[in-house]
Every structure is written in structure tokens, then in C-alpha cells.
Amino acid sequence: MESGGFDFHIVFHSIPFLAKGMGLTLLLTVLGIAGGLVFGTVLALARLAPFKVLSFAAGTYVNFFRSMPLILVIFWFYFLVPLVLGQEIGAFQSVLIAFIMFEAAYYCEIMRAGIQSVRVGQAYAGEALGLTYPQNMRYVVLPQAFRNMIPILVSQAIVLFQDTALVYVVGLSDFLYSADIIANSENRLMEMYITVAIVYFALCSWGQFQVRNLQKKFAHE
Amino acid sequence: MMRGALRVGLSVVVLLGLTGCAGDFRYNWQWSILTCTSENIDAGCIGPYFYWILQGLWWTIAVASAAWVIAFSLGSVIGILRTLDKPILVVVPFVKSPIYFRTRWIGTSKGIITVDVGWFLHGFANIYVTVFRNVPLLVQLFLWYFVFPELVPHDAGMWLKRDLPFPEVSTAIFCLGLYTASRVAEQVRAGINSISRGQQYAAMAIGLTPVQVYRYVLLPVSFRIIIPPLTSDFLGVFKNSSLALTIGVLELTAMTRQIEEYSYAGFEAFTAATVLYIGVTAIVMGAMRIVEARVRIPGMISLQAK
């Protein structure tokens, strides 16, 4: 590098800009988790439902998205959403839809494992009490399933947080892309990329630490 | 496997149908551009799109396979290191200590200084997995491609920038391999830890050395147990290889993007890529199911259940 040596001043000067990028990353993560969870739960219920057509459709959906790379999914939706809606809605919305659709497939598999981890006797007991299928799910199975799943759901949230860096390919100013803009305009690639790596590492390690605490907490009970 | 292929085919048809019906979706499909084998403006071919896709598929398979070789070998070693729980003492030669001291990794016994190499190896493996799992792959790719050549000594950096054959592809393979190794290591560790302790004690009781315990008892069983999660990691390498497009590797996804830019027929190209990725997934899953059945140990319940 022509300028030579490390110069982390540029990092301090660009903190407001980077913070804005991190805001977008976190917003995308939170909305992606929320949407993915809701849609993933619906998919999991459909997959375990006693109707063949429903479970087949949900299974197909999950296998389809799980065999596609996220970048390709982002490209698909980036071009597809405006066409389907017939109007431009901006990159953020397109990417968010892509994330929700993609992550839902993974959340569905986690949910399914969680629901199946609830002992069959519980569901039978619910039925014996005269609960309908939706009531049984709502009051007996799902509350217990969610408890079992919490650590792995948080792990998946960390994965999603890391995956949001891929919006780089459509030029959305998330944390990585903001840093990239400064890195290239100031010719400070080294400092910016190392900073980005450290920030991601710190946040994800903190998340992992929480996962371990949760696992310990649930193992004791 | 036939049923699997049928399912994949059906799902593609269903999803394409859904996309076609959704909203007032008006798109002029031009499937013929996928068959472009040469430049032919009249037929809408600005480039040999057909060969571009094949080339992209080739690079995807090449990058993913090469990365998997690194990931599997390195990941196995690191996973094994993470399960070491006994000290591996190495005597420091020629140096004697007049005083007695003992810490977790170094200590004395009758004046001889011993270092616990196992503690270092175990620690290294733990740090490796933590670091590589907690930084997004895309950031790692940029670090290897843009930052790493600046950090190494000047001559080595120059060699990386100038003389490394296929610089983008080599970096992508290396980066993807090291990243996936951390995931493989976690699976290997989980596999070894899932074997009951009794097996290990029995192996030690009949006089096997620690290396033999791993070689003949722990590893043969644990690698069989982790075939399903390793399969999904292997498929993960294929999917993650698409990130290499950001540093200029023309793999499958990059090629479809290029076709989109040339022809404005993006959906046709994306569809082709989607079908190819699903095809690769189906083939790998089918092959791994055969491997799993082939290597099954008769009478092992945990394997039959899966």
C-alpha cells in the first residue's frame, strides 16, 4: 500500500458512518429473525400436519431453499420482487423478503426438531383432554418446543447476523459495505477490513457466550 | 434416489408455476438464450451463454471440491485436538530447574522441566474454531484477498499479488477451506464426544496407545456417525463458493449475473443456476446415502436410526 503502515485514525473519523451501516445490519437481522420465525413456524406446522398435500408442499419449499446459495436467492428476489409487484420498492425491501423466505426454511427445520422433541405423551394427553389440534399445538406442544429450541434459535440468529453481510452484492449500505466505501475512497483497505472483522467477531462471540449460558441454564432444569 | 430426483423435479415445476402466476407478473421469457453457443446477434446471443454456464458450473465444482479437501483434513485434525483431555508432556532438553514450580502448561519434576504440548494444541484448536466461526465468511474472504498480502513480509506479499497462479480462485479455495474446517472440526468433536466413555476405557484396558485408541476405536465410529452433518457441510461449501464472485471468480452465480447484464434475460439464467445447484445437491445427497449404507456397521442402532 502506497501510504504504508497502519493508520486507525480513519476508523475513528468514520464511526458515525459505520454506526449507520451497523444500524441497517441490525435492522435487517431483527426483521429477518422475526419474519423468519413466524413464517418458519407456519412451515413447520404445515410440514408436521396430518394432511399429505400440506406437508409435501412445505417439505418441497424447505428442500428447495436449503439447496440454494443465499447470494442466488438475493439476486432472484432483487430482480423478481419489483416485477411481481409491478413497481420499484427499493433494495432493502427486496433483500428483506429474500432473507425471510430463505431463513424460514432453516427455522422450519429447527422448529420441526423442537416440536418432535416434545414427548408424544404430551400431545396424547392434550387430545385426551379434548383439545382440538390447533389448541393442542398452541397450549401444550409449542410452549415446550420453544423452550427446547431457544439455544439453537439464538445460534441461527448469529448465523443470520453474519449472513446479512451478503447484501454487499446488491450494494445495500450495511456495516460491511459502508466500511468498504470508506476503505476504497481513502485507500485504507487494511484498517477498515480488520476493524469490520473485529466488530463482527466481538458481537458474534458475545452471542455465542449467551448461547452457552442458555444451554447450561436449560440443562440444569 | 429416484424418488428424490422426482421430488426435486416436481418442486422446480411447482415453484416456477407459482412465480409465473403471482400478481401481474409480466416477463418475456426467452429460454432460447440458454442455448447460445456462439455470438449470434440475430438470435439474441451476445456471448456463448451456454458455455458460460458450463464454465461457471466447472469453477463452482472445482473451488468447492478443492476447498473441501482442505476443510476435511484440517477440520479432522482440529476436531481431534479439541477432544484431547490428557496432558501430552514433552521434556525440555538440556535445561534443569533448581526450583520446583507447576502451572497448567509447564512444570518440573526432579529438576526436569516438562511442557504440556497438549494444552497448547487444545488451546490453538479452540481459538481457531472461535475465530473462524465468528467472522462472516465474506469478511474473511476480503481479509485473505486484500489484507493478508499486506501483512506478510514484503517478498511473500509480492509473490501473492503477482505470481500466485489464479489468484482469485486460489484465495477463494484457501479461505473457504479454512472456514469450513472450523465447521468440520465441530462435527468431528461432537462425533467423538458422542461415543460412550466405556469404549475408550475398554480400548485403553486392552493396552492400546492413545494414538491407537483414536485410530482403531474412536475415529472409525465417530466418522460414520457424522456422515449426515458432514454431508450438509459439504453442500455448504458448494453454496458458499458463490461468495467468491465478490473477488472476481467466475463461478456459476457470477456467470448468471454476467448473462443478466449482457442479455437482460436474468430469470432464465437464474433458473438455470437454481436447477444446477439443486441437481448438485440431489446427486451429493444420493451419493452420501449410498456411502452411509456401504460403511454401516451391522448392529449399530444409532446408525440405523438415521
Side-chain angles (χ1 to χ4, degrees):
Chain A
M1 204 165 283
E2 294 83 46
S3 27
F6 281 92
D7 177 14
F8 278 98
H9 278 100
I10 184 69
V11 177
F12 291 111
H13 287 304
S14 46
I15 282 178
F17 189 65
L18 289 179
K20 232 172 130 187
M22 182 49 88
L24 190 125
T25 293
L26 290 175
L27 184 67
L28 204 53
T29 308
V30 170
L31 293 179
I33 291 170
L37 263 181
V38 172
F39 190 31
T41 312
V42 173
L43 275 175
L45 289 178
R47 218 177 160 177
L48 293 172
F51 315 107
K52 272 241 165 95
V53 183
L54 255 184
S55 64
F56 177 76
T60 305
Y61 177 93
V62 170
N63 287 333
F64 180 78
F65 273 94
R66 285 189 6 136
S67 52
M68 279 235 271
L70 180 53
I71 291 196
L72 191 61
V73 177
I74 290 176
F75 280 145
W76 259 116
F77 281 90
Y78 185 67
F79 292 102
L80 189 68
V81 170
L83 256 178
V84 170
L85 295 180
Q87 60 185 37
E88 287 295 323
I89 54 163
F92 181 78
Q93 279 87 337
S94 303
V95 166
L96 180 61
I97 293 172
F99 269 109
I100 290 174
M101 303 283 277
F102 184 79
E103 292 296 329
Y106 287 82
Y107 278 120
C108 167
E109 285 304 274
I110 297 174
M111 296 279 173
R112 192 168 68 124
I115 291 173
Q116 284 175 335
S117 77
V118 177
R119 270 173 293 160
V120 185
Q122 298 280 324
Y124 289 158
E127 263 174 54
L129 284 174
L131 298 182
T132 61
Y133 183 79
Q135 280 178 330
N136 209 357
M137 275 289 165
R138 163 77 185 77
Y139 295 108
V140 180
V141 178
L142 281 183
Q144 299 184 59
F146 267 114
R147 271 175 64 86
N148 294 343
M149 285 180 296
I150 285 174
I152 194 154
L153 283 178
V154 179
S155 297
Q156 185 64 27
I158 297 170
V159 173
L160 174 59
F161 176 63
Q162 295 192 11
D163 280 347
T164 55
L166 292 190
V167 300
Y168 177 92
V169 295
V170 291
L172 206 59
S173 312
D174 76 320
F175 186 55
L176 175 61
Y177 196 75
S178 307
D180 193 67
I181 291 171
I182 297 170
N184 283 311
S185 63
E186 306 278 340
N187 196 18
R188 286 280 166 202
L189 270 66
M190 220 178 354
E191 290 85 345
M192 292 314 287
Y193 288 151
I194 290 177
T195 308
V196 167
I198 291 173
V199 171
Y200 271 117
F201 177 75
L203 289 173
C204 295
S205 307
W206 177 76
Q208 291 286 357
F209 182 70
Q210 299 303 324
V211 172
R212 223 161 298 146
N213 279 350
L214 284 171
Q215 276 167 342
K216 260 184 223 153
K217 194 180 153 202
F218 288 119
H220 277 306
E221 281 166 11
Chain B
M1 210 185 150
M2 266 311 288
R3 275 183 62 195
L6 201 69
R7 249 174 203 217
V8 168
L10 256 175
S11 59
V12 172
V13 172
V14 168
L15 273 151
L16 279 181
L18 280 177
T19 19
C21 302
D24 59 337
F25 182 77
R26 293 199 200 290
Y27 182 76
N28 186 18
W29 293 94
Q30 297 171 278
W31 292 107
S32 62
I33 66 126
L34 290 178
T35 58
C36 290
T37 50
S38 62
E39 210 172 295
N40 182 355
I41 307 292
D42 296 331
C45 305
I46 302 176
Y49 302 139
F50 180 74
Y51 293 127
W52 284 5
I53 288 179
L54 277 190
Q55 228 174 39
L57 181 65
W58 153 248
W59 277 121
T60 290
I61 292 174
V63 169
S65 315
W68 181 251
V69 172
I70 299 178
F72 186 67
S73 35
L74 184 64
S76 303
V77 173
I78 291 176
I80 292 168
L81 289 182
R82 288 196 79 183
T83 61
L84 296 180
D85 50 1
K86 288 180 195 61
I88 304 170
L89 296 178
V90 173
V91 175
V92 179
F94 310 123
V95 188
K96 289 223 165 188
S97 168
I99 52 160
Y100 173 86
F101 64 95
R102 180 158 296 277
T103 67
R104 277 194 68 181
W105 58 277
I106 190 166
T108 60
S109 156
K110 292 175 187 156
I112 299 166
I113 305 172
T114 53
V115 173
D116 179 7
V117 181
W119 188 80
F120 283 101
L121 292 175
H122 193 261
F124 165 77
N126 283 345
I127 292 170
Y128 183 94
V129 171
T130 314
V131 169
F132 279 86
R133 286 194 64 167
N134 284 334
V135 177
L137 179 57
L138 191 56
V139 178
Q140 289 185 29
L141 196 59
F142 288 174
L143 285 180
W144 288 119
Y145 192 63
F146 297 112
V147 178
F148 184 64
E150 309 289 340
L151 293 180
V152 293
H154 186 258
D155 290 341
M158 277 331 235
W159 182 83
L160 280 175
K161 278 190 264 188
R162 269 198 220 138
D163 303 327
L164 183 69
F166 297 107
E168 298 90 5
V169 176
S170 313
T171 312
I173 290 172
F174 188 65
C175 171
L176 204 52
L178 294 187
Y179 170 79
T180 313
S182 69
R183 310 202 150 251
V184 173
E186 280 301 88
Q187 310 294 6
V188 170
R189 182 177 76 122
I192 293 174
N193 284 342
S194 73
I195 300 171
S196 69
R197 277 273 153 154
Q199 300 251 339
Q200 202 178 330
Y201 295 146
M204 277 152 64
I206 59 170
L208 299 189
T209 63
V211 174
Q212 284 173 326
V213 172
Y214 272 93
R215 166 70 185 81
Y216 295 109
V217 180
L218 296 180
L219 295 184
V221 179
S222 61
F223 272 113
R224 284 178 167 88
I225 294 175
I226 61 173
I227 287 176
L230 277 189
T231 306
S232 85
D233 278 331
F234 183 53
L235 293 170
V237 178
F238 273 94
K239 290 183 272 174
N240 284 334
S241 68
S242 60
L243 267 68
L245 72 90
T246 53
I247 59 168
V249 178
L250 285 174
E251 46 65 67
L252 190 52
T253 308
M255 281 301 193
T256 59
R257 190 82 178 77
Q258 191 171 312
I259 294 174
E260 196 273 331
E261 275 163 10
Y262 272 67
S263 66
Y264 298 107
F267 291 128
E268 290 83 342
F270 292 156
T271 308
T274 304
V275 170
L276 287 175
Y277 277 115
I278 290 176
V280 168
T281 305
I283 290 170
V284 169
M285 282 188 30
M288 290 313 283
R289 212 162 288 162
I290 293 170
V291 168
E292 206 185 343
R294 270 277 174 89
V295 301
R296 176 176 290 159
I297 303 172
M300 263 202 74
I301 297 150
S302 65
L303 289 174
Q304 282 170 343
K306 281 195 175 117

